[in-house]
Amino acid sequence: AKALDLGVNDYLVRPVNKNELTARAKTQIRRKQFEDNLRHQYEKSLTAAVTDSLTGLYNRRYLETHYEELSRDLHGGGKPISILIMDADHFKLVNDDYGHAAGDQVLRGLAHRIMAGIRGFDTAIRLGGEEFVVLMPNVDGRSAFIAANRLREMIEASPFQISEDGQTLAVTMSIGVATGVAGEVPLEGLLERADQALYTAKNGGRNRVETANDSPVDELHQPEAIRA
């Protein structure tokens, strides 16, 4: 009774019967396999809930939860938190001219380059469609602007393969940057400011980086918009 209370699954009474031992062992093995499969399915479901199936990046649901956690961790020290909103230029034409399969290839390629161009503790998210977000904790406006322009250059540097026969397509991105004090600015507010900066980048000719006007930056090194 004490063993069962401690979590023992089964027990045998001496003298041990060979057939009984075999039968009970098989039962416990099947039980273990069932539990492992159940745990795997549960973890798979959790991952699917916060991951974009096409690109493998996190989705907006994860962004909301992660942003709250970062804000709590960084709150109180006046530390900055920056967000980049990135949008592929003229992406509708990619789908219209080359098909959705080619568009999916481009989105996967964009996700790969974004992941290759950020720090290990930054977070890349597919916000929806051809729009991506990079969350950068403890990064001020100027540093975020420099990082955004580096990503823009990486994406522009070489075309994306869109078919198995080697066909490629050049793609560029416009990026909006917004920075706030961690714990003092809600996610929606920061996203809205970054989105306004992105809108400015689109209207300014695309393939460029713009910073939200009210984002705190180093006044001695106020960044200007950069474009190709």
Side-chain angles (χ1 to χ4, degrees):
K2 184 176 181 181
L4 291 172
D5 186 56
L6 291 172
V8 170
N9 291 326
D10 203 354
Y11 66 94
L12 290 167
V13 177
R14 292 180 180 180
V16 176
N17 180 278
K18 180 180 179 181
N19 293 331
E20 181 183 4
L21 172 61
T22 301
R24 288 178 179 273
K26 288 181 178 179
T27 298
Q28 294 306 316
I29 290 171
R30 286 195 297 269
R31 177 175 178 172
K32 178 64 165 60
Q33 290 173 337
F34 174 77
E35 290 176 348
D36 288 347
N37 183 61
L38 193 63
R39 184 179 296 106
H40 173 72
Q41 293 299 324
Y42 175 71
E43 292 173 351
K44 186 178 178 180
S45 297
L46 286 180
T47 300
V50 297
T51 305
D52 174 60
S53 59
L54 177 64
T55 63
L57 300 182
Y58 290 116
N59 59 21
R60 177 156 187 155
R61 179 181 298 179
Y62 180 83
L63 170 63
E64 293 170 352
T65 303
H66 188 53
Y67 183 83
E68 292 179 1
E69 293 175 352
L70 284 176
S71 295
R72 285 195 299 267
D73 292 342
L74 297 175
H75 181 59
K79 296 179 179 178
I81 187 166
S82 293
I83 274 184
L84 317 182
I85 291 188
M86 316 174 66
D87 188 83
D89 297 325
H90 303 296
F91 187 77
K92 185 177 183 300
L93 296 178
V94 177
N95 286 330
D96 292 346
D97 294 345
Y98 301 94
H100 288 278
D104 289 347
Q105 285 289 91
V106 170
L107 291 174
R108 293 190 190 98
L110 289 171
H112 178 76
R113 293 190 192 183
I114 291 170
M115 285 298 298
I118 62 177
R119 305 171 303 172
F121 42 87
D122 295 331
T123 306
I125 299 104
R126 184 186 178 199
L127 200 60
E130 66 274 20
E131 202 166 52
F132 298 84
V133 164
V134 175
L135 181 61
M136 309 181 77
N138 206 19
V139 172
D140 61 26
R142 174 170 171 76
S143 298
F145 181 84
I146 292 171
N149 194 60
R150 184 172 63 247
L151 285 171
R152 183 193 64 78
E153 290 174 344
M154 288 178 61
I155 290 163
E156 183 188 23
S158 58
F160 294 82
Q161 183 172 327
I162 58 173
S163 65
E164 294 183 357
D165 60 6
Q167 185 180 12
T168 60
L169 180 66
V171 177
T172 61
M173 292 195 88
S174 299
I175 306 175
V177 181
T179 302
V181 178
E184 297 182 11
V185 56
L187 174 62
E188 290 303 323
L190 203 57
L191 283 173
E192 183 178 351
R193 288 160 52 202
D195 197 51
Q196 290 172 354
L198 173 62
Y199 185 75
T200 301
K202 290 286 188 181
N203 286 340
R206 294 182 168 84
N207 190 25
R208 58 190 289 131
V209 180
E210 291 282 354
T211 301
N213 292 333
D214 57 349
S215 289
V217 294
D218 184 348
E219 294 181 357
L220 296 178
H221 301 90
Q222 179 72 29
E224 299 178 357
I226 292 181
R227 62 181 177 84

